[in-house]
Amino acid sequence: MNRQLPLEVYWLGRVDYDLAWTLQNQIADEIRQGLRPATLLLLEHPHVFTIGRRGSRAHILWDDVECTRRQVILRDVDRGGDVTYHGPGQLVGYPILPLAQTGWEGDRLPQTDFIGYLRRLEDTLIALLDTYGVNAFRREGLTGVWVNLSLPGGSSLPAKIASIGVKVDRFGISRHGFALNITPNMEYWNGIIPCGLEGVRMTSLAELIAPPPTMIEAAAAIGPIFARIFNFEPSLLIDGQPLLQSLTVIHGS
């Protein structure tokens, strides 16, 4: 068995999207220089629609007036995937991991490594949901995590409960990550075509179990699962406020 490496897991609370992006870049640079171990950031965002590299503005259904009324900002981002929503009540995880071996100088990781990384993120979320008695699964050809919703008459409908979109830079360090719906206001999904999938049904833990876990409970639960699946040393949840305060760049400059 490979030696387990250290992992730091931080709970940041509710963080502005741009500030979290700045923090990801700073941590990734520190990891590249060997100044920081692999890091998992756990947080919530205020309302934001993000458009990935393969996304289209046509998949945002609300106009600027409606987005402003609902306090939603729009951001074009460099992750994979299409359009998604982040907001209060959604557990967002940003794993910043050195996926390539030390000294990697290629333009990108081999595709098998990249796909394997996505599958392990899905495995992490599926295992977390299992601890709450929720049977979750992946669907062939679709990145993310799904559950079956029961319908009248005994039938069921697959619904998406977690989205995944990542970037791996030329040094093999990951950014972006996953978003698990725990108690978000589901009305905000009406403003987009989630992941560019027409007719997709989104759901949340609050629609499946009562009571759902709090955000901090879910954050504390997912850290050990993530460490196990990615073969890191177990890590306690760390208060991320000092980390936010340590940013060496001026946000918004």
Side-chain angles (χ1 to χ4, degrees), residues 180-217:
L180 173 65
N181 299 330
I182 297 180
T183 58
N185 182 342
M186 300 304 291
E187 289 185 4
Y188 280 83
W189 293 103
N190 296 329
I192 62 173
I193 300 175
C195 304
L197 301 174
E198 294 278 0
V200 68
R201 172 73 154 84
M202 302 298 298
T203 191
S204 67
L205 262 178
E207 293 184 331
L208 300 172
I209 62 173
T214 66
M215 294 299 295
I216 190 66
E217 287 171 343

Side-chain angles (χ1 to χ4, degrees), residues 48-210:
V48 55
F49 292 152
T50 66
I51 306 124
R53 293 191 303 268
R54 294 185 296 174
S56 168
R57 291 268 173 160
H59 293 159
I60 296 177
L61 305 180
W62 289 344
D63 60 21
D64 291 344
V65 172
E66 184 65 10
C67 285
T68 298
R69 186 180 78 82
R70 292 181 178 262
Q71 299 181 311
V72 181
I73 64 171
L74 274 59
R75 290 293 182 267
D76 293 289
V77 296
D78 60 353
R79 60 164 172 78
D82 204 291
V83 174
T84 196
Y85 162 73
H86 295 312
Q90 184 187 73
L91 179 64
V92 175
Y94 293 137
I96 310 171
L97 312 179
L99 298 179
Q101 296 180 354
T102 302
W104 174 269
E105 294 293 345
D107 290 332
R108 62 172 60 186
L109 288 176
Q111 186 178 16
T112 51
D113 290 344
F114 182 77
I115 297 302
Y117 173 55
L118 294 177
R119 298 294 83 85
R120 282 189 288 174
L121 290 178
E122 291 168 343
D123 288 343
T124 299
L125 293 163
I126 290 169
L128 174 67
L129 291 167
D130 183 64
T131 67
Y132 298 116
V134 174
N135 181 28
F137 52 90
R138 60 171 62 96
R139 296 178 69 187
E140 186 68 29
L142 297 173
T143 298
V145 174
W146 303 72
V147 297
N148 279 323
L149 292 183
S150 298
L151 300 176
S155 61
S156 63
L157 171 74
K160 195 171 188 181
I161 194 169
S163 301
I164 295 173
V166 303
K167 168 190 174 179
V168 180
D169 68 21
R170 68 186 185 91
F171 299 107
I173 299 173
S174 64
R175 291 173 180 75
H176 300 290
F178 59 82
L180 173 65
N181 299 330
I182 297 180
T183 58
N185 182 342
M186 300 304 291
E187 289 185 4
Y188 280 83
W189 293 103
N190 296 329
I192 62 173
I193 300 175
C195 304
L197 301 174
E198 294 278 0
V200 68
R201 172 73 154 84
M202 302 298 298
T203 191
S204 67
L205 262 178
E207 293 184 331
L208 300 172
I209 62 173

Side-chain angles (χ1 to χ4, degrees), residues 13-17 20 43-48 86-88 90 92 94:
R14 191 169 300 176
V15 182
D16 175 84
Y17 188 87
L43 61 142
E44 293 178 280
H45 283 307
H47 304 297
V48 55
H86 295 312
Q90 184 187 73
V92 175
Y94 293 137

